[in-house]
Amino acid sequence: GEDVEQSLFLSVREGDSSVINCTYTDSSSTYLYWYKQEPGAGLQLLTYIFSNMDMKQDQRLTVLLNKKDKHLSLRIADTQTGDSAIYFCAALSSNTGKLIFGQGTTLQVKP
Amino acid sequence: DGGITQSPKYLFRKEGQNVTLSCEQNLNHDAMYWYRQDPGQGLRLIYYSQIVNDFQKGDIAEGYSVSREKKESFPLTVTSAQKNPTAFYLCASSRGTSGSTSTDTQYFGPGTRLTVL
């Protein structure tokens, strides 16, 4: 079945770059998303990439997609304490129209 | 100010009671969704609706019910049949549901935390 996997935890120092990785299984995935969730809040859409793109940059965020390996990454440059949150990767299936979520990566930013 | 609102933010329920969670959007989106989030897990789809007066079961629909009488509103009822209802519930909406365009991008509300006493 469709599955999305992420590592559960990442800790970085303020000012460093953070890289959060994600793998997915559904080769029919058309769009891949990154959402951010702060404690007690809903999911905030950060960015997304279409499956025929390799890279997308948006200010401090860079998304890299390796479609052959079904691997997605989110790089946050100059990580700040305000970036501390849970980051969810999600893949949109063209077969079902459903969004499949990973279990989330908790990013801890140390001052 | 467009967006998705959910109420209440916190909800407490006694065992055996039904409770209804509200979700409203003013984005003019056709599709709406309900997800359940448990600690350390991703989101699981409960129900979704692609158009008014129509809805489909998601992956974990047992013990839940929904209605879609208006485009803006998609309330979720957690029934007494739901064995483990304590969770964080998230509502989302999107313009489309084709599975192949950016109009399928889902936007989320702030969530409702339900606790069974």
Side-chain angles (χ1 to χ4, degrees):
Chain A
E2 301 154 341
D3 194 21
V4 175
E5 295 282 340
Q6 299 177 240
S7 53
L8 295 183
F9 186 79
L10 176 66
S11 180
V12 301
R13 290 274 175 206
E14 191 174 17
D16 289 349
S17 291
S18 307
V19 180
I20 302 171
N21 294 300
C22 168
T23 57
Y24 60 98
T25 59
D26 184 4
S27 58
S28 77
S29 296
T30 50
Y31 282 85
L32 296 126
Y33 298 86
W34 285 104
Y35 288 90
K36 176 183 180 183
Q37 185 179 38
E38 296 183 1
L43 271 64
Q44 173 195 350
L45 177 67
L46 286 177
T47 187
Y48 61 87
I49 188 168
F50 185 46
S51 57
N52 70 352
M53 295 172 64
D54 298 324
M55 186 182 85
K56 181 178 180 182
Q57 189 154 0
D58 184 1
Q59 299 182 346
R60 292 191 297 123
L61 305 179
T62 302
V63 178
L64 295 177
L65 175 61
N66 182 327
K67 192 174 180 181
K68 174 178 169 288
D69 294 338
K70 299 189 189 69
H71 181 268
L72 182 75
S73 68
L74 174 70
R75 178 177 180 268
I76 305 173
D78 187 25
T79 311
Q80 302 299 306
T81 54
D83 294 323
S84 293
I86 302 175
Y87 291 80
F88 287 94
C89 168
L92 179 66
S93 169
S94 64
N95 290 333
T96 65
K98 291 180 183 177
L99 205 51
I100 308 301
F101 286 86
Q103 62 270 60
T105 299
T106 298
L107 175 64
Q108 179 189 69
V109 182
K110 295 180 179 178
Chain B
D1 190 18
I4 303 172
T5 57
Q6 292 186 242
S7 62
K9 186 170 175 65
Y10 299 97
L11 187 57
F12 298 89
R13 187 194 99 170
K14 293 182 181 177
E15 288 199 21
Q17 284 183 336
N18 293 355
V19 290
T20 298
L21 283 60
S22 168
C23 177
E24 305 275 332
Q25 53 98 0
N26 61 4
L27 300 168
N28 200 32
H29 284 175
D30 284 320
M32 297 186 74
Y33 311 80
W34 275 106
Y35 292 91
R36 171 180 171 139
Q37 184 181 20
D38 294 285
Q41 298 189 31
L43 277 64
R44 292 185 289 168
L45 183 64
I46 304 172
Y47 268 98
Y48 63 103
S49 168
Q50 295 172 296
I51 199 165
V52 175
N53 292 322
D54 188 43
F55 49 83
Q56 289 80 38
K57 292 181 180 179
D59 301 317
I60 56 163
E62 186 176 350
Y64 300 97
S65 66
V66 294
S67 63
R68 186 89 187 275
E69 297 175 2
K70 297 187 297 182
K71 187 175 186 177
E72 312 81 54
S73 179
F74 190 40
L76 173 75
T77 297
V78 184
T79 75
S80 56
Q82 170 48 238
K83 297 304 178 193
N84 185 20
T86 294
F88 191 50
Y89 291 87
L90 289 157
C91 178
S93 70
S94 65
R95 272 194 287 155
T97 56
S98 69
S100 59
T101 78
S102 63
T103 60
D104 299 343
T105 299
Q106 293 184 22
Y107 297 89
F108 284 79
T112 293
R113 184 165 299 281
L114 172 63
T115 302
V116 173
L117 302 173

